[in-house]
Amino acid sequence: MTVDRVWRSLPVKSSEVSLAKVLRCGQTFRWKNIDHVWSFSVDDRIILLKQEDDDLQFSWIMPEDKMENTNRQEKETLDFINDYFSLSTSLESLYSDWLKVDEKYRKKIGSSPFIKFPGIRILRQDPWETTVSFICSSNNNVKRISKMVDSICTNFGTYINDFEGIPFYSFPKPKDLAKPETEGLLRDLGFGYRAKYIYKTACKFVDNEEFPEITIEQLNAMRSKSYDEAHQFLLQLDGVGPKVADCICLMALDKHDIVPVDTHVYQIAMRDFKFKGKKDLKTMNQQVYHEIRLFFKELFGDYSGWAQSVLFASDLSDLNNGVNQISTKEVKVENDSIEIKKRKVITTADEKITKETKTVIKKRRNLQV
DNA sequence: ATGGAACCTACTCT
DNA sequence: AAGAGTAGGTTCC
């Protein structure tokens, strides 16, 4: 059955949102790209997005039994997109501020990421989904995280509908994951030691005897609390340490100035900026963690977490890497296949030299029919 | 108190 | 072709 899908237009420039980058830079793991249409399930529907030259096109798919009242659905979908992408925040003006900082403090190695990588912004994601997703992220890579999060939905979520022959499920609630068999099932699904963390964290959200203060309402309420309070709240959860807590703060709880510090961010601080760590990376501890975090916070200001995401994305060699990339038709080279600069680190006697080498992203590894 | 292992798995690289 | 190395860390000792 081929339906004529209704697409609506949203006037958003690609300098404000680059879907190909934002949805692939490691903040969200569930968007699928099917023949150049981005798809994602939320609550009771599948959201569809397409990036055109001058705007964003959106559509939505409801469950089979909920096809009426289109006007309301359109408004709800539009509201979601505006909120999820924080479209009321102008990215272009932030970029121009960051560029000034970058030019002043960055060690010059090629053109600025704030020129080279437009349209990268921090999403405003659901706190619960973000929590579970980033519990999965520990000691892990984007490709596997995406597989795991998708697996959580198909095994524990609620079926919504199909799109292009692929079934979409909602992201499960805590009660869906707080069952005794969950941990074993997650282990069978390849979650490794994170299986227990997810199970135990889900349990804390449904157990109002031992953890009366840990509820979804409280988690969501952290959006309007201070960073310190939100950070402390999150540290109570299993599998959530300082870095994961900060990811949740930045990407779900409106803490725009928080820079989650991982090995990668530490490298950027050392290599591209003039951060002098007192200690080696091996001895990363609470103190060093917050030193680096505050270093970036002071550098870029109120939206330092957003700025950092651009630096991080620019540091990745391949943003797509075949994650959730599906083609229902013949294999062809992506039209958004972009030429990027990949830094190669060449180590000499006792000095690191960064050299720019041009790399053309070839056909995606997983882009097979 | 604090640094270092151990922890799961699926890659990639050699 | 096996085996080490690693991927946006956290927990435990």
Coordinates of all heavy atoms in Angstrom, one line a residue, chain A residues 43-117:
Chain A
D43 N 6.5 8.7 22.0 CA 5.2 8.5 22.5 C 4.4 7.6 21.6 O 4.7 6.5 21.5 CB 4.5 9.9 22.8 CG 5.3 10.7 23.7 OD1 6.0 10.2 24.6 OD2 5.3 12.0 23.5
D44 N 3.4 8.3 21.0 CA 2.4 7.5 20.2 C 2.6 7.6 18.7 O 1.7 7.2 17.9 CB 1.0 8.0 20.6 CG 0.8 9.4 20.2 OD1 1.8 10.1 19.9 OD2 -0.3 9.9 20.2
R45 N 3.8 8.0 18.2 CA 3.9 8.2 16.8 C 5.3 8.1 16.3 O 6.3 8.1 17.1 CB 3.3 9.6 16.4 CG 4.2 10.8 16.8 CD 3.5 12.1 16.7 NE 2.3 12.1 17.6 CZ 1.4 13.1 17.7 NH1 1.4 14.0 16.8 NH2 0.5 13.0 18.6
I46 N 5.4 8.0 15.0 CA 6.8 8.0 14.3 C 6.9 9.4 13.7 O 6.0 9.9 13.0 CB 6.9 7.0 13.2 CG1 6.5 5.6 13.7 CG2 8.3 7.0 12.6 CD1 6.4 4.5 12.7
I47 N 8.0 10.1 14.0 CA 8.3 11.4 13.5 C 9.2 11.2 12.2 O 10.1 10.5 12.3 CB 9.0 12.3 14.5 CG1 8.3 12.4 15.8 CG2 9.3 13.7 13.9 CD1 7.1 13.3 15.9
L48 N 8.8 11.9 11.2 CA 9.7 11.9 10.0 C 10.2 13.3 9.6 O 9.5 14.3 9.8 CB 8.8 11.4 8.8 CG 8.1 10.0 8.9 CD1 7.3 9.7 7.7 CD2 9.1 8.9 9.2
L49 N 11.5 13.3 9.2 CA 12.1 14.6 8.9 C 13.0 14.4 7.6 O 13.6 13.4 7.4 CB 13.0 15.0 10.0 CG 12.4 15.8 11.2 CD1 13.5 16.0 12.3 CD2 11.8 17.1 10.8
K50 N 12.9 15.5 6.8 CA 13.8 15.6 5.7 C 14.5 16.9 5.6 O 13.8 18.0 5.9 CB 13.0 15.5 4.4 CG 12.7 14.1 3.9 CD 12.2 14.1 2.5 CE 10.8 14.8 2.3 NZ 10.2 14.5 1.0
Q51 N 15.8 17.0 5.3 CA 16.4 18.3 5.2 C 16.5 18.7 3.8 O 17.0 18.0 2.9 CB 17.9 18.2 5.8 CG 18.6 19.5 5.7 CD 19.2 19.9 7.1 OE1 19.7 19.0 7.8 NE2 19.1 21.2 7.4
E52 N 15.8 19.8 3.5 CA 15.9 20.4 2.1 C 16.9 21.5 2.2 O 17.4 21.9 3.2 CB 14.5 20.8 1.7 CG 13.4 19.7 1.8 CD 13.4 18.8 0.7 OE1 13.6 19.2 -0.5 OE2 13.3 17.6 0.9
D53 N 17.0 22.2 1.0 CA 18.0 23.3 0.9 C 17.6 24.4 1.9 O 18.5 24.9 2.6 CB 18.1 23.8 -0.5 CG 18.7 22.8 -1.4 OD1 19.5 21.9 -0.9 OD2 18.5 22.8 -2.6
D54 N 16.4 24.8 1.9 CA 16.0 26.0 2.6 C 15.1 25.7 3.8 O 14.7 26.7 4.5 CB 15.3 27.0 1.7 CG 16.3 27.4 0.5 OD1 17.4 27.7 0.8 OD2 15.8 27.4 -0.6
D55 N 14.7 24.5 4.0 CA 13.8 24.2 5.1 C 13.9 22.8 5.6 O 14.6 22.0 5.0 CB 12.3 24.6 4.7 CG 11.8 23.6 3.7 OD1 12.6 22.9 3.0 OD2 10.6 23.5 3.5
L56 N 13.1 22.5 6.6 CA 13.0 21.2 7.1 C 11.6 20.7 6.8 O 10.6 21.4 7.0 CB 13.1 21.2 8.6 CG 14.2 20.4 9.4 CD1 15.5 20.4 8.7 CD2 14.3 20.9 10.8
Q57 N 11.5 19.5 6.3 CA 10.1 18.9 6.0 C 9.8 17.9 7.0 O 10.7 17.1 7.4 CB 10.2 18.3 4.6 CG 10.5 19.2 3.4 CD 9.3 19.8 2.8 OE1 8.2 19.3 2.9 NE2 9.5 21.0 2.2
F58 N 8.6 18.0 7.5 CA 8.3 17.0 8.6 C 7.0 16.3 8.3 O 6.1 16.8 7.6 CB 8.3 17.6 10.0 CG 7.1 18.5 10.2 CD1 6.0 18.0 10.8 CD2 7.2 19.9 10.0 CE1 4.9 18.9 11.1 CE2 6.2 20.7 10.2 CZ 5.0 20.2 10.8
S59 N 6.8 15.1 8.8 CA 5.6 14.4 8.7 C 5.5 13.4 9.9 O 6.4 13.5 10.8 CB 5.5 13.6 7.4 OG 4.2 13.0 7.3
W60 N 4.4 12.7 10.0 CA 4.3 11.8 11.2 C 3.4 10.6 10.8 O 2.6 10.6 9.9 CB 3.7 12.5 12.3 CG 2.3 13.0 12.1 CD1 1.1 12.4 12.4 CD2 1.9 14.2 11.4 NE1 0.0 13.1 11.9 CE2 0.5 14.3 11.3 CE3 2.7 15.3 10.8 CZ2 -0.2 15.3 10.7 CZ3 2.0 16.3 10.2 CH2 0.6 16.3 10.2
I61 N 3.6 9.5 11.5 CA 2.8 8.3 11.3 C 2.2 7.9 12.7 O 2.9 7.7 13.7 CB 3.6 7.2 10.8 CG1 4.3 7.6 9.4 CG2 2.8 5.9 10.6 CD1 5.3 6.5 8.9
M62 N 0.9 7.7 12.7 CA 0.2 7.3 13.9 C 0.0 5.8 13.9 O 0.1 5.2 12.8 CB -1.2 8.0 14.1 CG -1.1 9.6 14.1 SD 0.0 10.3 15.4 CE -1.0 9.9 16.8
P63 N -0.4 5.2 15.0 CA -0.8 3.8 15.0 C -2.0 3.6 14.1 O -2.8 4.6 13.9 CB -1.1 3.5 16.5 CG -0.3 4.5 17.3 CD -0.3 5.7 16.4
E64 N -2.2 2.4 13.6 CA -3.3 2.2 12.7 C -4.7 2.6 13.3 O -5.5 3.1 12.5 CB -3.4 0.7 12.4 CG -2.3 0.1 11.6 CD -2.2 0.8 10.2 OE1 -3.3 1.3 9.7 OE2 -1.2 0.7 9.5
D65 N -4.9 2.5 14.6 CA -6.2 2.8 15.1 C -6.3 4.3 15.6 O -7.3 4.7 16.2 CB -6.5 1.9 16.3 CG -5.4 2.0 17.4 OD1 -4.4 2.7 17.1 OD2 -5.6 1.5 18.5
K66 N -5.4 5.1 15.2 CA -5.4 6.5 15.6 C -5.2 7.5 14.5 O -4.3 8.3 14.5 CB -4.4 6.8 16.7 CG -4.9 6.6 18.1 CD -3.7 6.8 19.1 CE -3.7 8.2 19.7 NZ -2.7 8.3 20.8
M67 N -6.0 7.3 13.5 CA -5.7 8.1 12.2 C -6.5 9.4 12.1 O -6.3 10.1 11.1 CB -5.9 7.2 11.0 CG -4.9 6.1 10.9 SD -3.2 6.8 10.8 CE -2.3 5.4 10.1
E68 N -7.4 9.7 13.0 CA -8.2 10.9 12.8 C -7.6 12.1 13.5 O -6.5 12.1 14.1 CB -9.6 10.6 13.4 CG -9.8 10.6 14.9 CD -8.9 9.6 15.6 OE1 -8.5 8.6 15.0 OE2 -8.7 9.9 16.8
N69 N -8.3 13.2 13.4 CA -7.9 14.5 14.0 C -6.5 14.9 13.6 O -5.6 15.2 14.5 CB -7.9 14.3 15.6 CG -8.1 15.7 16.2 OD1 -7.9 16.7 15.6 ND2 -8.5 15.6 17.5
T70 N -6.3 15.1 12.3 CA -5.0 15.4 11.8 C -4.4 16.8 12.2 O -3.2 16.9 12.4 CB -5.0 15.4 10.3 OG1 -6.2 14.8 9.9 CG2 -3.8 14.7 9.7
N71 N -5.3 17.7 12.4 CA -4.9 19.1 12.8 C -4.2 19.1 14.1 O -3.1 19.7 14.3 CB -6.0 20.1 12.8 CG -6.4 20.5 11.4 OD1 -5.6 20.4 10.5 ND2 -7.7 20.9 11.2
R72 N -4.8 18.4 15.1 CA -4.2 18.3 16.4 C -2.8 17.6 16.3 O -1.8 18.0 16.9 CB -5.1 17.6 17.4 CG -4.6 17.6 18.8 CD -5.7 17.2 19.7 NE -6.2 15.8 19.5 CZ -5.7 14.8 20.2 NH1 -4.9 14.9 21.1 NH2 -6.2 13.5 19.9
Q73 N -2.8 16.5 15.5 CA -1.6 15.7 15.4 C -0.5 16.5 14.8 O 0.7 16.5 15.2 CB -1.8 14.5 14.5 CG -2.6 13.4 15.2 CD -3.1 12.4 14.2 OE1 -2.7 12.3 13.1 NE2 -4.0 11.5 14.7
E74 N -0.8 17.4 13.8 CA 0.2 18.2 13.2 C 0.8 19.2 14.2 O 2.0 19.4 14.3 CB -0.4 19.0 12.0 CG 0.6 19.9 11.4 CD 0.1 20.6 10.1 OE1 -0.9 20.2 9.6 OE2 0.8 21.6 9.7
K75 N -0.1 19.8 15.0 CA 0.3 20.7 16.0 C 1.2 20.0 17.0 O 2.3 20.6 17.4 CB -0.8 21.4 16.7 CG -0.4 22.5 17.6 CD -1.5 23.0 18.6 CE -1.0 24.1 19.4 NZ 0.2 23.8 20.2
E76 N 0.8 18.9 17.5 CA 1.7 18.1 18.4 C 3.0 17.8 17.9 O 4.0 17.9 18.5 CB 0.9 16.8 18.9 CG -0.3 17.1 19.7 CD -1.1 15.8 19.9 OE1 -0.9 14.8 19.1 OE2 -2.0 15.8 20.8
T77 N 3.0 17.4 16.6 CA 4.3 17.0 16.0 C 5.2 18.2 15.8 O 6.4 18.2 16.2 CB 4.0 16.4 14.6 OG1 3.2 15.3 14.7 CG2 5.3 15.9 13.9
L78 N 4.6 19.3 15.4 CA 5.3 20.6 15.3 C 5.9 21.0 16.7 O 7.1 21.4 16.8 CB 4.4 21.7 14.7 CG 5.1 23.0 14.4 CD1 6.3 22.8 13.4 CD2 4.1 23.9 13.8
D79 N 5.1 20.9 17.7 CA 5.5 21.3 19.0 C 6.7 20.4 19.5 O 7.7 20.9 20.0 CB 4.4 21.1 20.0 CG 3.3 22.2 19.9 OD1 3.6 23.2 19.2 OD2 2.2 22.0 20.5
F80 N 6.6 19.1 19.2 CA 7.7 18.3 19.5 C 9.0 18.7 18.8 O 10.0 18.8 19.5 CB 7.4 16.8 19.2 CG 8.6 15.9 19.3 CD1 9.0 15.4 20.5 CD2 9.3 15.6 18.1 CE1 10.2 14.6 20.6 CE2 10.5 14.8 18.2 CZ 10.9 14.3 19.4
I81 N 8.9 18.9 17.5 CA 10.1 19.3 16.8 C 10.7 20.6 17.3 O 11.9 20.6 17.5 CB 9.8 19.3 15.3 CG1 9.4 18.0 14.7 CG2 11.0 19.9 14.5 CD1 8.8 18.0 13.4
N82 N 9.9 21.5 17.5 CA 10.4 22.8 18.1 C 11.1 22.6 19.4 O 12.2 23.2 19.6 CB 9.3 23.8 18.2 CG 9.0 24.6 16.9 OD1 9.9 25.2 16.4 ND2 7.8 24.5 16.4
D83 N 10.5 21.8 20.2 CA 11.1 21.6 21.6 C 12.3 20.7 21.5 O 13.4 21.0 22.1 CB 10.0 20.9 22.4 CG 10.5 20.8 23.9 OD1 10.6 21.8 24.6 OD2 10.7 19.6 24.3
Y84 N 12.3 19.6 20.8 CA 13.3 18.6 20.7 C 14.6 19.3 20.1 O 15.7 19.0 20.5 CB 12.9 17.5 19.8 CG 13.8 16.3 19.7 CD1 13.9 15.3 20.7 CD2 14.7 16.1 18.6 CE1 14.8 14.3 20.6 CE2 15.5 15.1 18.5 CZ 15.6 14.1 19.5 OH 16.4 13.1 19.4
F85 N 14.4 20.1 19.1 CA 15.6 20.7 18.5 C 15.9 22.1 19.1 O 16.8 22.8 18.6 CB 15.4 20.9 16.9 CG 15.5 19.5 16.2 CD1 14.4 18.8 16.0 CD2 16.7 19.1 15.8 CE1 14.5 17.5 15.3 CE2 16.9 17.8 15.1 CZ 15.7 17.1 14.9
S86 N 15.2 22.5 20.1 CA 15.4 23.8 20.7 C 15.4 24.9 19.7 O 16.3 25.8 19.7 CB 16.7 23.9 21.5 OG 16.5 23.1 22.7
L87 N 14.5 25.0 18.8 CA 14.6 25.9 17.6 C 14.4 27.3 18.0 O 14.8 28.2 17.2 CB 13.5 25.5 16.6 CG 13.8 24.1 15.9 CD1 12.7 23.8 14.8 CD2 15.2 24.1 15.2
S88 N 14.0 27.6 19.2 CA 13.9 29.0 19.6 C 15.3 29.6 19.9 O 15.5 30.8 20.0 CB 13.0 29.2 20.8 OG 13.4 28.4 21.8
T89 N 16.3 28.7 20.0 CA 17.7 29.2 20.3 C 18.4 29.3 18.9 O 18.5 28.4 18.2 CB 18.4 28.2 21.2 OG1 17.7 28.0 22.4 CG2 19.8 28.6 21.4
S90 N 18.9 30.5 18.7 CA 19.6 30.8 17.4 C 21.0 30.3 17.5 O 21.8 30.8 18.3 CB 19.6 32.3 17.1 OG 20.6 32.6 16.2
L91 N 21.3 29.4 16.7 CA 22.7 28.8 16.7 C 23.7 29.7 16.0 O 24.8 29.8 16.5 CB 22.6 27.4 16.0 CG 23.8 26.5 16.2 CD1 24.0 26.1 17.7 CD2 23.6 25.2 15.4
E92 N 23.2 30.4 15.0 CA 24.2 31.2 14.2 C 24.9 32.3 15.1 O 26.1 32.5 15.0 CB 23.5 31.9 13.0 CG 23.4 31.0 11.8 CD 22.9 31.7 10.6 OE1 21.7 32.1 10.6 OE2 23.7 31.9 9.7
S93 N 24.1 32.9 16.0 CA 24.7 33.9 16.8 C 25.6 33.3 17.8 O 26.6 33.9 18.2 CB 23.6 34.7 17.5 OG 22.8 33.9 18.3
L94 N 25.3 32.1 18.3 CA 26.2 31.4 19.2 C 27.5 31.1 18.5 O 28.6 31.3 19.1 CB 25.6 30.1 19.8 CG 24.4 30.3 20.8 CD1 23.8 29.0 21.1 CD2 25.0 30.9 22.1
Y95 N 27.4 30.6 17.3 CA 28.6 30.2 16.6 C 29.5 31.4 16.4 O 30.8 31.3 16.5 CB 28.2 29.7 15.2 CG 28.2 28.2 15.0 CD1 27.3 27.4 15.8 CD2 29.0 27.5 14.2 CE1 27.2 26.1 15.7 CE2 29.0 26.1 14.0 CZ 28.1 25.4 14.8 OH 28.0 24.0 14.6
S96 N 29.0 32.6 16.1 CA 29.8 33.8 15.9 C 30.5 34.2 17.2 O 31.7 34.6 17.2 CB 29.0 34.9 15.4 OG 28.2 35.5 16.3
D97 N 29.8 33.9 18.4 CA 30.5 34.2 19.7 C 31.7 33.2 19.9 O 32.8 33.6 20.2 CB 29.5 34.0 20.8 CG 28.5 35.1 20.8 OD1 28.7 36.1 20.2 OD2 27.4 34.9 21.5
W98 N 31.4 31.9 19.6 CA 32.4 30.9 19.9 C 33.6 31.0 18.9 O 34.7 30.7 19.3 CB 31.8 29.5 19.6 CG 30.6 29.2 20.5 CD1 30.4 29.6 21.8 CD2 29.5 28.3 20.3 NE1 29.3 29.1 22.3 CE2 28.7 28.3 21.4 CE3 29.2 27.5 19.2 CZ2 27.6 27.5 21.5 CZ3 28.0 26.7 19.2 CH2 27.2 26.7 20.4
L99 N 33.3 31.5 17.7 CA 34.4 31.7 16.7 C 35.4 32.7 17.3 O 36.6 32.5 17.1 CB 33.8 32.2 15.4 CG 34.8 32.4 14.3 CD1 35.6 31.0 13.9 CD2 34.1 32.9 13.0
K100 N 34.9 33.7 17.9 CA 35.9 34.7 18.5 C 36.8 34.1 19.5 O 38.0 34.3 19.6 CB 35.1 35.9 19.1 CG 34.4 36.8 18.1 CD 33.5 37.8 18.8 CE 32.5 38.3 17.8 NZ 31.2 38.8 18.4
V101 N 36.1 33.3 20.4 CA 36.9 32.6 21.4 C 37.9 31.6 20.8 O 39.1 31.6 21.2 CB 35.9 31.8 22.4 CG1 36.7 30.9 23.4 CG2 34.9 32.7 23.0
D102 N 37.4 30.9 19.8 CA 38.2 29.9 19.1 C 39.5 30.6 18.5 O 40.6 30.1 18.7 CB 37.4 29.3 18.0 CG 38.0 28.0 17.5 OD1 38.6 27.2 18.3 OD2 38.0 27.8 16.3
E103 N 39.3 31.7 17.8 CA 40.4 32.3 17.2 C 41.4 32.8 18.1 O 42.6 32.9 17.9 CB 39.9 33.5 16.3 CG 39.2 33.0 15.0 CD 38.5 34.1 14.2 OE1 38.2 35.2 14.8 OE2 38.3 33.9 13.0
K104 N 40.9 33.2 19.3 CA 41.8 33.7 20.3 C 42.6 32.6 21.1 O 43.8 32.8 21.3 CB 41.0 34.6 21.3 CG 41.9 35.5 22.2 CD 41.0 36.5 22.9 CE 41.8 37.4 23.8 NZ 41.0 38.3 24.6
Y105 N 42.0 31.6 21.4 CA 42.6 30.6 22.3 C 43.0 29.3 21.7 O 43.7 28.5 22.3 CB 41.7 30.3 23.5 CG 41.4 31.6 24.4 CD1 40.2 32.2 24.3 CD2 42.4 32.1 25.2 CE1 40.0 33.4 25.1 CE2 42.2 33.2 25.9 CZ 41.0 33.9 25.9 OH 40.8 35.0 26.6
R106 N 42.5 29.0 20.5 CA 42.8 27.7 19.9 C 44.2 27.7 19.3 O 44.5 28.7 18.6 CB 41.7 27.4 18.9 CG 41.8 26.0 18.4 CD 40.5 25.8 17.5 NE 40.2 24.4 17.4 CZ 40.6 23.7 16.3 NH1 41.3 24.2 15.3 NH2 40.2 22.4 16.2
K107 N 44.9 26.6 19.4 CA 46.1 26.4 18.6 C 45.7 26.3 17.2 O 44.9 25.4 16.9 CB 46.8 25.2 19.1 CG 47.4 25.3 20.5 CD 48.2 24.0 20.8 CE 48.6 23.9 22.2 NZ 49.1 22.6 22.6
K108 N 46.2 27.1 16.3 CA 45.7 27.1 14.9 C 46.2 25.8 14.2 O 47.3 25.6 13.9 CB 46.2 28.3 14.2 CG 45.8 29.6 14.8 CD 44.3 29.9 14.6 CE 43.9 31.3 15.1 NZ 44.1 31.5 16.5
I109 N 45.2 25.0 13.9 CA 45.5 23.9 13.0 C 44.3 23.8 12.0 O 43.4 23.1 12.2 CB 45.6 22.5 13.7 CG1 45.1 22.7 15.2 CG2 47.0 22.0 13.7 CD1 45.1 21.4 15.9
G110 N 44.4 24.6 10.9 CA 43.4 24.6 10.0 C 42.2 25.5 10.4 O 42.3 26.2 11.4
S111 N 41.2 25.5 9.6 CA 40.1 26.4 9.8 C 39.2 25.9 11.0 O 39.2 24.8 11.4 CB 39.2 26.5 8.6 OG 38.7 25.2 8.2
S112 N 38.5 26.9 11.6 CA 37.8 26.6 12.8 C 36.6 25.6 12.6 O 35.9 25.7 11.5 CB 37.3 27.9 13.3 OG 36.3 27.7 14.4
P113 N 36.4 24.8 13.5 CA 35.2 23.9 13.4 C 33.9 24.7 13.4 O 32.9 24.2 12.8 CB 35.2 23.1 14.7 CG 36.5 23.4 15.4 CD 37.2 24.5 14.7
F114 N 33.9 25.9 13.9 CA 32.7 26.8 13.9 C 32.5 27.4 12.5 O 31.4 28.0 12.3 CB 32.8 27.9 15.0 CG 33.0 27.3 16.3 CD1 34.2 27.5 17.0 CD2 32.0 26.5 16.9 CE1 34.4 26.9 18.3 CE2 32.2 26.0 18.2 CZ 33.4 26.2 18.9
I115 N 33.4 27.2 11.6 CA 33.2 27.6 10.2 C 32.9 26.3 9.4 O 32.0 26.3 8.6 CB 34.4 28.3 9.6 CG1 34.6 29.7 10.3 CG2 34.3 28.5 8.1 CD1 35.9 30.4 10.0
K116 N 33.7 25.3 9.8 CA 33.6 24.1 9.0 C 32.4 23.2 9.3 O 32.0 22.4 8.4 CB 34.9 23.3 9.3 CG 35.3 22.3 8.2 CD 36.6 22.7 7.6 CE 37.0 21.7 6.5 NZ 36.0 21.6 5.4
F117 N 31.9 23.3 10.5 CA 30.8 22.4 10.8 C 29.6 23.2 11.4 O 29.3 23.2 12.6 CB 31.3 21.4 11.9 CG 32.3 20.4 11.4 CD1 33.7 20.7 11.5 CD2 31.9 19.2 10.8 CE1 34.6 19.9 11.0 CE2 32.9 18.4 10.3 CZ 34.2 18.7 10.4

